[in-house]
């Protein structure tokens, strides 16, 4: 294994670990803040935390690269559209995390990895047989994890997390349309900024904003904002510099494992045997959906 390959793997695993533990911060945030307030503050911080990365990367670009990425109209349009999409699934996730476990949340949200190639049906793209097989395995896993005791066993948190995973899949296609025409880091920072503004404006009307509650939730906000958005995204960029996309996506899938470990560590979450088997099915389906992908 080359040294550069190992470096990239470590960066990507660190990114997965950071994002895996982010759901702990989100669940902790539900104790004192409403979902709109928490989401608004974390996304504003996330947007601002990317400014140093933008400055550093801009300094390394050639004039030709800067010219190719200079599309302010597309940047604004795409940032606003994707900001709306991020707002929708992030709020669903933030509300849902209050009613379900951190470990289950990570696996349910990660279903978007399977939904992305499946959504190709709506774009008249061919869906490979292994994707259909992965879908069946994921459905079995979801049933064991959330509905093994019957349809009434599923809770609102699991449903909201499933809806959030659909939103994540939509987000992937929206990014795919815009990101090759603009600076990806500026694009990401802008979409977080839009999400933060929408969330905080709505929070002023719909939630009770109190400074003492914000200060009491300072650590989860800082982690979910600066560490998860800023540092996690930086590690992803650095990692993908040394690891090809197909391998990178597989490494980033380990986020689900870190999420489960985080739930056990911080909230003493223990699942039933059926739920653990369901998690295993979903994880296998995620891996199956990504192998042999060219990008």
């Amino acid at each position: 294994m080359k040294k550069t390959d190992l470096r990239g793997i470590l960066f990507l695993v660190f990114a997965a670990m950071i994002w895996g533990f982010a759901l702990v911060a989100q669940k902790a945030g539900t104790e004192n803040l409403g979902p709109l307030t928490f989401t608004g503050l974390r996304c504003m911080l996330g947007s601002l935390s990317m400014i140093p990365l933008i400055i550093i990367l801009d300094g390394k670009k050639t004039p030709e690269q800067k010219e190719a990425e200079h599309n302010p109209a597309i940047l604004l349009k795409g940032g606003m559209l994707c900001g709306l999409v991020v707002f929708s699934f992030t709020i669903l996730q933030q509300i849902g995390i209050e009613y379900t476990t951190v470990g289950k949340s990570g696996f349910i949200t990660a279903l978007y990895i399977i939904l992305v190639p499946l959504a190709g049906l709506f774009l008249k793209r061919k869906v490979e047989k292994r994707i259909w097989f992965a879908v069946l395995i994921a459905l079995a896993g979801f049933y064991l994890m959330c509905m093994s005791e019957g349809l009434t066993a599923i809770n609102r948190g699991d449903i909201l997390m499933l809806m959030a995973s659909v939103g994540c899949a939509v987000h992937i296609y929206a990014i795919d349309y815009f990101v090759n025409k603009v600076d990806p880091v500026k694009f990401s920072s802008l979409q977080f900024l839009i999400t933060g503004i929408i969330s905080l404006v709505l929070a002023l009307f719909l939630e009770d904003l109190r400074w003492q509650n914000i200060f009491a939730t300072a650590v989860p906000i800082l982690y979910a904002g600066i560490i998860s958005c800023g540092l996690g995204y930086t590690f992803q960029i650095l990692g993908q510099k040394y690891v090809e996309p197909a391998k990178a996506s597989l490494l980033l899938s380990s986020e689900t494992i870190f999420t489960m470990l985080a739930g056990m560590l911080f909230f003493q979450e223990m699942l039933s045997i059926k739920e653990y088997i369901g998690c295993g099915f979903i994880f296998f389906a995620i891996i199956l959906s990504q192998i042999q992908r060219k990008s």
Side-chain angles (χ1 to χ4, degrees):
M1 182 179 292
K2 297 180 181 180
K3 184 177 180 181
T4 52
D5 290 341
L6 178 60
R7 186 188 311 174
I9 289 171
L10 290 175
F11 279 134
L12 291 171
V13 170
F14 282 141
M17 182 172 65
I18 287 171
W19 290 332
F21 278 73
L23 279 171
V24 170
Q26 288 182 242
K27 193 170 184 69
T30 63
E31 296 177 3
N32 296 296
L33 292 178
L36 290 167
T37 304
F38 184 85
T39 299
L41 293 173
R42 77 171 280 210
C43 288
M44 292 295 286
L45 281 174
S47 176
L48 294 174
S49 69
M50 290 184 179
I51 293 177
L53 181 60
I54 290 172
I55 295 173
I56 292 171
L57 293 178
D58 267 353
K60 296 182 178 181
K61 290 178 181 178
T62 64
E64 292 76 15
Q65 286 176 311
K66 292 180 179 180
E67 178 65 27
E69 294 176 347
H70 183 67
N71 296 300
I74 296 177
L75 178 65
L76 182 60
K77 179 181 177 180
M80 292 182 68
L81 177 61
C82 287
L84 285 169
V85 178
V86 171
F87 167 77
S88 65
F89 73 73
T90 303
I91 289 298
L92 288 170
Q93 191 180 62
Q94 188 60 31
I95 297 172
I97 193 68
E98 186 176 357
Y99 302 101
T100 188
T101 64
V102 169
K104 287 169 66 176
S105 298
F107 279 90
I108 296 172
T109 304
L111 287 172
Y112 82 89
I113 298 174
I114 301 171
L115 293 175
V116 167
L118 187 62
L121 283 173
F122 297 99
L123 300 176
K124 297 181 179 180
R125 296 178 182 175
K126 183 180 178 181
V127 178
E128 298 178 29
K129 291 181 180 179
R130 62 183 174 83
I131 299 300
W132 290 112
F133 188 44
V135 169
L136 292 176
I137 295 173
L139 286 173
F142 184 80
Y143 176 81
L144 289 171
M145 192 168 61
C146 303
M147 297 184 291
S148 60
E149 305 301 325
L151 291 176
T152 56
I154 190 170
N155 63 58
R156 71 177 74 176
D158 296 336
I159 295 173
L160 289 171
M161 286 296 171
L162 185 59
M163 293 170 64
S165 70
V166 174
C168 289
V170 173
H171 183 239
I172 293 295
Y173 277 101
I175 286 179
D176 184 60
Y177 181 80
F178 290 106
V179 78
N180 290 326
K181 306 170 185 176
V182 295
D183 183 311
V185 187
K186 290 179 182 177
F187 184 88
S188 186
S189 179
L190 179 58
Q191 70 175 1
F192 280 127
L193 179 64
I194 297 298
T195 300
I197 291 173
I198 295 172
S199 300
L200 290 178
V201 169
L202 291 176
L204 289 173
F205 296 97
L206 301 175
E207 294 179 355
D208 185 15
L209 296 178
R210 297 184 182 182
W211 284 109
Q212 59 265 36
N213 291 340
I214 294 175
F215 289 133
T217 320
V219 173
I221 291 172
L222 290 172
Y223 184 93
I226 297 176
I227 304 299
S228 179
C229 296
L231 190 58
Y233 190 80
T234 301
F235 279 155
Q236 181 193 8
I237 290 175
L238 292 173
Q240 290 192 226
K241 181 179 179 181
Y242 302 105
V243 179
E244 63 182 35
K247 292 180 180 178
S249 63
L250 289 172
L251 289 168
L252 291 173
S253 298
S254 64
E255 175 188 342
T256 55
I257 305 299
F258 287 116
T259 300
M260 178 167 286
L261 293 175
M264 293 177 179
L265 181 62
F266 288 94
F267 294 103
Q268 292 74 54
E269 293 178 355
M270 296 299 294
L271 305 180
S272 67
I273 297 298
K274 286 183 179 179
E275 289 172 329
Y276 280 123
I277 294 174
C279 290
F281 275 23
I282 289 177
F283 186 70
F284 177 72
I286 290 170
I287 299 301
L288 180 63
S289 70
Q290 296 178 89
I291 58 174
Q292 297 180 348
R293 288 176 61 188
K294 295 181 179 179
S295 64

